[in-house]
Amino acid sequence: MAKIKLYGTSYSGNCHKPKWILDRLGIAYDWIEVDALDGSTRTPEFLAINPAGQVPVLILEDGRMLAQSNAMMLHLAEGADLIPKDAFERAKMFEWMFWEQYSHEPQIAVRIARKHYLGKREDELEPSLLPKGNAALARMELQLKETPFLVGDALSLADIALVAYTRKADLGGFNLRDYPAVRGWVVRVEELLGIESALPANG
Ligand SMILES: N[C@@H](CCC(=O)N[C@@H](CS)C(=O)NCC(=O)O)C(=O)O
């Protein structure tokens, strides 16, 4: 069987999610760099790999393809302690992961990409992204004032899905100092993942 392959953009939070799981679980893989912002995901060659034209893309040892960062994490972490055994806690983890894709990533990740990576001016950005992104951060703050992780006392895939872009929210014009419980959680999760902090040094 071939080694697992992960197609990804090295500065993309969605691509970090499956990478962090592979690293944490000690699974061998080859990283294949594809720039999500220069059209490389829309070439005929890449569309033959993922017809959705997006990274990340995971190719399993037997050649099967899996898209969607959260689906990849669920598959790779099957049986690991990142997925609660209790059925209700597992459903709460899904609740956060589905919410991440609908109510967090489309505002926070998009604002980071447009403002920081594409260098758009404030007046070129969709005005609703800032209030909607702040509403998402406020929702997380409410939970993280109560519990150290999004689902109770232990790190789960919910934390990994949500930390990917939350840790870089300042690059999108958000201010994590307004959300102290979220900031403390970012530090905790980054430490557990063994990754360098993405929070602004003096922030
Ligand atoms: N919901 C998808 C989102 C994937 C996504 O938005 N990928 C971006 C990079 S972060 C991309 O490939 N953009 C290039 C394009 O759409 O052409 C996931 O979680 O994997």
Side-chain angles (χ1 to χ4, degrees):
M1 288 231 203
K3 215 196 272 184
I4 285 180
K5 281 192 249 176
L6 181 58
Y7 290 83
T9 306
S10 45
Y11 53 83
S12 150
N14 282 324
C15 300
H16 293 153
K17 296 180 209 170
K19 179 185 186 303
W20 290 334
I21 303 297
L22 289 161
D23 290 342
R24 185 174 175 87
L25 299 180
I27 302 170
Y29 64 99
D30 287 322
W31 173 273
I32 300 158
E33 184 72 21
V34 180
D35 195 328
L37 294 180
D38 73 357
S40 301
T41 61
R42 301 288 163 161
T43 63
E45 293 75 22
F46 192 82
L47 290 170
I49 300 169
N50 179 11
Q54 291 183 324
V55 283
V57 175
L58 186 71
I59 308 290
L60 299 173
E61 290 103 322
D62 61 7
R64 286 180 299 171
M65 184 282 275
L66 192 59
Q68 295 295 327
S69 55
N70 288 352
M72 290 172 205
M73 290 204 296
L74 284 161
H75 183 66
L76 293 168
E78 178 87 23
D81 63 358
L82 294 167
I83 301 178
K85 298 279 177 286
D86 176 80
F88 183 74
E89 288 201 346
R90 199 163 55 246
K92 289 304 277 184
M93 179 191 79
F94 288 132
E95 178 187 318
W96 282 110
M97 291 171 80
F98 295 140
W99 178 84
E100 183 259 347
Q101 286 285 292
Y102 191 75
S103 302
H104 182 286
E105 194 262 15
Q107 352 292 344
I108 295 182
V110 167
R111 217 170 188 284
I112 294 170
R114 305 233 165 110
K115 184 177 168 67
H116 181 71
Y117 294 113
L118 294 172
K120 302 263 185 221
R121 296 189 315 267
E122 277 294 323
D123 63 338
E124 294 176 297
L125 300 173
E126 161 62 47
S128 71
L129 293 177
L130 196 62
K132 285 185 178 170
N134 273 312
L137 293 170
R139 168 72 190 95
M140 292 174 69
E141 180 74 7
L142 211 57
Q143 180 64 44
L144 293 164
K145 278 202 289 206
E146 301 297 322
T147 54
F149 296 98
L150 289 167
V151 184
D153 291 338
L155 181 76
S156 76
L157 296 185
D159 301 292
I160 299 177
L162 275 147
V163 87
Y165 288 105
T166 304
R167 64 199 281 266
K168 293 189 172 172
D170 290 78
L171 298 179
F174 299 96
N175 188 351
L176 283 187
R177 272 167 296 181
D178 295 341
Y179 305 98
V182 171
R183 248 183 143 264
W185 162 86
V186 167
V187 172
R188 228 165 12 254
V189 175
E190 287 178 333
E191 274 172 12
L192 284 171
L193 292 176
I195 56 175
E196 206 179 316
S197 183
L199 294 173
N202 56 356

